[in-house]
Amino acid sequence: PPGLEPSFPALIAMAMGSGFLGGIAGNFADVLNVRMQHDAALPPAERRNYRHAVDGMARMAREEGPLSFFRGWLPNSSRAAVMTAGQLATYDTFKRILMDYTPMGDNLTTHFTASFLAGLAAATATSPIDVIKTRVMSSAHHQGILRVVGDAYKADGIGWMFKGWVPSFLRLGP
């Protein structure tokens, strides 16, 4: 019923909480994914050469200990929180704005437009966090987040924050 819809801050809080917990729960798979994708870019002597995901998980646990599953958990969970909020809360808000302030009704065009705008918001909000997360997870060394940000800024200036934005948007926008 009208008037019982959650406020935007409530939507943000609920989305961020669920996204953060989901990021922690799925962190091991994200570490493994980042490592397997990044492996080919490493010099041959530094490659991990995981044969498949189960081999990668077993070797991570055996060679680095079970805590390796949580490498980069804070940037990963932060990214998941911002991503979920960027998608879910903004989708509802964009849909409501489109229906209230444009001639668009509750139809496929409105849902597509709200989804597209939510993808734009999510890709933009998560881009800096995504860069940090990927660098922390793919690193062979344990580096603090501030060090990763400092190194990224030295190498790429402020543009480091939006490396990979286009592929991220192409995944989220549609």
Side-chain angles (χ1 to χ4, degrees):
L4 292 180
E5 290 127 11
S7 66
F8 185 70
L11 288 171
I12 293 284
M14 290 184 289
M16 289 188 81
S18 63
F20 191 84
L21 292 175
I24 292 172
N27 195 73
F28 74 96
D30 214 6
V31 171
L32 191 57
N33 183 41
V34 166
R35 287 180 172 194
M36 290 177 79
Q37 288 179 350
H38 187 251
D39 214 32
L42 294 173
E46 294 180 29
R47 292 182 186 161
R48 293 178 177 98
N49 295 315
Y50 298 148
R51 292 187 317 252
H52 46 73
V54 175
D55 176 57
M57 287 176 26
R59 286 188 42 208
M60 282 173 62
R62 185 175 60 246
E63 296 168 11
E64 302 172 58
L67 288 179
S68 65
F69 292 160
F70 296 98
R71 183 172 232 180
W73 74 270
L74 183 58
N76 188 43
S77 296
S78 299
R79 177 193 177 275
V82 173
M83 174 72 71
T84 305
Q87 288 179 305
L88 299 181
T90 60
Y91 172 81
D92 286 344
T93 301
F94 284 132
K95 186 177 84 171
R96 193 175 313 140
I97 288 169
L98 290 168
M99 290 175 60
D100 289 351
Y101 297 102
T102 72
M104 300 172 88
D106 191 1
N107 57 39
L108 188 59
T109 303
T110 303
H111 291 274
F112 178 79
T113 305
S115 178
F116 181 84
L117 292 170
L120 178 69
T124 303
T126 61
S127 186
I129 302 167
D130 205 19
V131 172
I132 294 167
K133 174 197 75 106
T134 300
R135 291 183 183 196
V136 167
M137 288 181 171
S138 63
S139 174
H141 311 293
H142 294 283
Q143 294 179 329
I145 293 172
L146 292 178
R147 174 72 177 257
V148 170
V149 170
D151 290 348
Y153 182 76
K154 284 178 192 170
D156 301 310
I158 199 74
W160 75 265
M161 293 175 38
F162 296 101
K163 279 194 168 234
W165 184 90
V166 171
S168 178
F169 175 70
L170 291 174
R171 188 180 82 237
L172 296 171

